[in-house]
Structure formats: C-alpha cells, structure tokens
C-alpha cells in the first residue's frame, strides 16, 4: 500500500464509487424519513395538551415526519384522518381512540394497506387483535381502584359520592368506573349517589356540578370522584360559587395529576389526584422504530427461521407485547407543596 502512488489510489476509489451509486450521495439523502400518521382525540384537557406535546416533541427529536390530526373528540373525524393516512401511504399509524367501539372496519382497511397500527392512551374493542401491533397506555381500571382506595383509607363515616364521568364509551371512562365500583363494593359506607357525564372538559364539569347542586341530592353529597382533573377543577369552581368549601365539606379525588391539580391541592381544594401519565411520546416512538425495523427486513428473511417472527410481529400477528403499561402513582395534599415545582404539565 505504501508503494502505490497517491494518484492511482484516487483513480481506484473513484472507480469504486462509480460502480456503487450510493457512494456519491450524502448520507442524509439516501436515508428515507419515517412518516407516521397520528390521530389525537382532541384538546379537551390539560392531559391531552401534554400528551400532544410529548408525541410531537419525541417525533421532532428523532427526525420523524409526523402527520398529526386533531379529532376534536369526534370518532368520525378520527376515522377520516385514518383513511387519509392510508392515502398518504404513511409507514405506520398511531392513534388514541376517543371511544372503544366502531373501529373494526377502518382497522381492516389499514391492515389491507399493509400499514402497522399502534394504539396509544385508550383501547379499542375489536374481535381481531391482529388489527393492531400493540397498545401503550395506562391501566385505567387500576386508576379507578386507586381513587376509591384513597377514599377508603382517608375518610370516615358515610360517604355519598357524586361521580363525574368522562366521555361516554371511552375506555378510560368505562374502566375508571369499573375499578372504583369494584373497591367500594367491599365498603358499604361508600356509595355513589349520582353519576353524570362531563366529557373530560373543565367547562362541562362546572356546568354539571352547578345543575347538580340545585337538585335535592346536591344538598346531600359529601364526596366527588371525577374521572379527570379538569372536570374536578370545573366542579370546584361551581362549589365555591355556591358557598361550599371543596376539599373540606366535599372530599374530592380526580385522575391525571396535572399541575393545576397540584395547585388546587396546595390551596386545600382538591384532596387527591391519581396519576395518568400523558408523556407517552418517547415510548411510542421506541416501539414505532422497532416495528418498522422488523418490517423492512429483506423479503427473503422470511425464509430464515429466526427472523420470521419479527416480521409477523411487525404486522400485528406476533410476539410484540400486546399491552405496554405506564408507571404511575397517587398524589395527595400531604406531598403537593413539596412536588408542585417538579410538575412539567
Ligand atoms: O385518555 C386519557 C384521558 O383523557 C385523561 O384522563 C383525560 O384528561 C383525557 O381527556
């Protein structure tokens, strides 16, 4: 090598590059950008705003082309967005379904188009679980159980609970109710006096509480279980305007653990918030990258015994964990002051 004149070495290298076309192109132009369609439920709560930021931020960090569609809490908008992602030939579709049912047809269309699907945050009710690769999200039933346990462990005497439910048909509304009821079933001193929908919105939570306070039952309750912080905060406002002392006259537990809930706990107006972590972006895109890496294996890899399962997994039929859980905890007034400065959303 030492004896080969420099000019000859250059000629040999140039000839190699002429044969291998990728040699002439800068690396960035050869790597195809990953395109992901993401259908978000809407922006009904502080939780949703934090979730959207997390997804957008994680995509940007990884240089992913994210097509983000806000469904404005309507299933028909989300279905439209999913179909448009098929037309756009995205590499993968991720979405948070506003309600559990009614997805089978569009998921079959996506499968036919060969596009893998990842569910985030909320689940779907479909007969064929191969219609999606995996579901990353919280255990909503456990959140309901945790809310009830706080009442069991931190109150005495008869508790007449007003329940503010989330969006009708949403998996988190269904499961948070189920988990809560399962725990109070063993504690007859705790009863749900009345249960109403508040759609996960602060304004609706206030409106529903205002109306409830005018009914005879509204004079006879001493606890509120709200399926999210936003509805609890709206209801707290209504209680204060009606001359009640939320957090004292009425014990209140809600779900999410957004910063505004910590502020309400520091002010003594909310008793407890059960965490539902919205920061799913990094975890989502780790899985997106794993799924796409498996999917882009060369076609003849299917002949290889070891690689075949990876391809099947990518298409939703294999061994990707069907359910990816999120770590969460419970916060109450005893830790609110100490932790409020650490809350990011
Ligand atoms: O799906 C998660 C739930 O939806 C959050 O608890 C709520 O705030 C949001 O609207």
């Amino acid at each position: 090598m030492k004896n080969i004149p420099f000019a000859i070495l250059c000629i040999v290298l140039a000839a190699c590059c002429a044969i291998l076309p990728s040699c002439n192109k800068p690396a960035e132009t050869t790597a195809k950008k990953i395109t992901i369609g993401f259908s978000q439920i809407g922006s009904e709560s502080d939780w949703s705003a934090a979730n959207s930021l997390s997804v957008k931020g994680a995509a940007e960090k990884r240089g992913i082309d994210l097509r983000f569609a806000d469904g404005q809490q309507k299933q028909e908008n989300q279905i439209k967005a999913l179909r448009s992602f098929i037309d756009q030939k995205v590499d993968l579709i991720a979405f948070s379904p506003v309600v559990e049912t009614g997805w089978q047809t569009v998921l079959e269309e996506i499968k036919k188009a060969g596009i893998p699907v990842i569910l985030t945050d909320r689940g779907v009710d479909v007969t064929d679980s191969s219609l999606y690769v995996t579901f990353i999200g919280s255990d909503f039933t456990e959140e309901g159980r945790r809310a009830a346990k706080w009442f069991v462990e931190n109150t005495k005497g008869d508790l007449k609970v007003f329940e503010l439910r989330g969006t009708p048909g949403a998996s988190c509304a269904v499961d948070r109710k189920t988990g809560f009821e399962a725990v109070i079933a063993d504690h007859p001193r705790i009863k749900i006096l009345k249960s109403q929908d508040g759609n996960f919105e602060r304004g609706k939570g206030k409106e529903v509480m205002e109306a409830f306070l005018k009914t005879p039952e509204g004079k006879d309750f001493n606890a509120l279980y709200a399926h999210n912080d936003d509805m609890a905060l709206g209801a707290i406002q209504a209680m204060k305007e009606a001359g009640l002392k939320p957090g004292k006259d009425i014990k209140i537990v809600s779900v999410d653990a957004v910063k505004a809930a910590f502020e309400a706990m520091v002010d003594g107006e909310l008793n407890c918030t059960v965490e539902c972590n919205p920061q799913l972006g990094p975890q989502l895109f780790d899985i997106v990258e794993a799924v796409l890496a498996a999917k882009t294996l060369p076609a003849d890899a299917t002949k290889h015994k070891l690689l075949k399962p990876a391809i099947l997994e990518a298409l939703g039929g294999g061994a990707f964990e069907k359910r990816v859980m999120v770590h969460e905890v419970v916060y109450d007034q005893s830790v609110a002051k100490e932790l409020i400065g650490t809350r990011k959303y």
Side-chain angles (χ1 to χ4, degrees):
M1 195 75 162
K2 238 189 200 167
N3 301 327
I4 301 172
F6 182 67
I8 295 180
L9 197 61
C10 288
I11 292 166
V12 171
L13 279 175
C16 285
C17 281
I19 298 165
L20 301 169
S22 61
C23 218
N24 292 321
K25 291 181 197 158
E28 315 82 82
T29 56
T30 51
K32 191 187 161 267
K33 222 177 181 186
I34 294 175
T35 306
I36 304 296
F38 185 87
S39 165
Q40 176 62 293
I41 291 165
S43 42
E44 70 286 351
S45 61
D46 288 1
W47 189 99
S48 304
N51 180 245
S52 296
L53 272 183
S54 171
V55 170
K56 287 177 183 170
E60 200 185 325
K61 248 191 197 159
R62 294 169 195 230
I64 286 172
D65 176 3
L66 183 73
R67 317 269 164 95
F68 186 95
D70 182 334
Q72 297 174 337
Q73 293 245 72
K74 292 201 174 81
Q75 184 174 35
E76 64 262 35
N77 291 347
Q78 287 202 284
I79 291 177
K80 240 186 238 162
L82 298 181
R83 291 200 167 118
S84 100
F85 295 149
I86 299 178
D87 295 341
Q88 292 171 51
K89 297 187 171 38
V90 298
D91 296 307
L92 184 146
I93 292 174
F95 79 108
S96 305
V98 61
V99 290
E100 274 182 302
T101 55
W103 301 101
Q104 183 96 14
T105 308
V106 70
L107 284 175
E108 279 165 0
E109 290 167 27
I110 297 171
K111 187 176 180 181
K112 218 166 146 201
I115 302 174
V117 170
I118 297 177
L119 303 175
T120 75
D121 170 28
R122 299 185 191 176
V124 295
D125 185 1
V126 287
T127 50
D128 175 3
S129 68
S130 79
L131 293 174
Y132 61 89
V133 179
T134 189
F135 165 30
I136 315 166
S138 308
D139 183 341
F140 297 132
T141 313
E142 177 58 21
E143 289 169 355
R145 282 194 287 263
R146 288 176 179 175
K149 276 182 202 157
W150 189 90
F151 282 127
V152 170
E153 289 162 13
N154 296 278
T155 63
K156 285 194 176 80
D158 286 349
L159 224 55
K160 293 175 192 162
V161 183
F162 179 60
E163 180 187 32
L164 258 175
R165 295 191 306 259
T167 307
S171 61
C172 40
V174 175
D175 295 350
R176 284 175 188 163
K177 183 170 185 56
T178 306
F180 189 87
E181 285 178 345
V183 171
I184 64 167
D186 294 332
H187 301 272
R189 72 175 180 91
I190 305 176
K191 292 233 160 26
I192 295 181
L193 186 67
K194 180 123 189 156
S195 178
Q196 274 183 265
D197 296 328
N199 223 23
F200 286 127
E201 294 164 19
R202 199 175 294 203
K204 192 88 185 145
K206 180 167 189 271
E207 201 183 297
V208 171
M209 180 53 71
E210 278 167 352
F212 176 64
L213 290 175
K214 290 183 186 133
T215 67
E217 288 157 320
K219 316 259 174 296
D220 191 34
F221 80 119
N222 53 7
L224 169 68
Y225 166 43
H227 287 191
N228 82 344
D229 291 338
D230 279 79
M231 290 188 296
L233 295 167
I236 286 171
Q237 192 56 37
M239 288 179 204
K240 290 202 293 190
E241 286 171 17
L244 288 167
K245 286 196 180 67
K248 292 178 185 75
D249 301 336
I250 315 289
K251 300 288 181 209
I252 307 172
V253 177
S254 55
V255 184
D256 278 355
V258 297
K259 190 161 191 162
F262 275 74
E263 285 160 2
M265 288 196 293
V266 170
D267 293 343
E269 294 173 345
L270 175 74
N271 299 90
C272 169
T273 181
V274 176
E275 185 182 27
C276 178
N277 188 348
Q279 298 187 304
L280 303 178
Q283 221 175 342
L284 167 64
F285 289 107
D286 281 350
I287 297 173
V288 165
E289 285 171 354
V291 170
L292 293 180
K295 202 188 170 202
T296 54
L297 288 170
D300 68 351
T302 49
K303 287 185 205 136
H304 195 297
K305 254 197 166 160
L306 286 173
L307 293 181
K308 197 174 172 188
I311 293 172
L312 293 175
E313 285 165 16
L315 297 173
F320 263 97
E321 285 282 339
K322 219 54 199 176
R323 188 76 173 83
V324 181
M325 292 294 190
V326 182
H327 174 72
E328 286 158 350
V329 292
V330 175
Y331 302 102
D332 67 9
Q333 290 180 357
S334 64
V335 293
K337 226 184 215 152
E338 180 196 332
L339 296 180
I340 192 165
T342 65
R343 301 308 292 169
K344 293 199 169 61
Y345 53 89

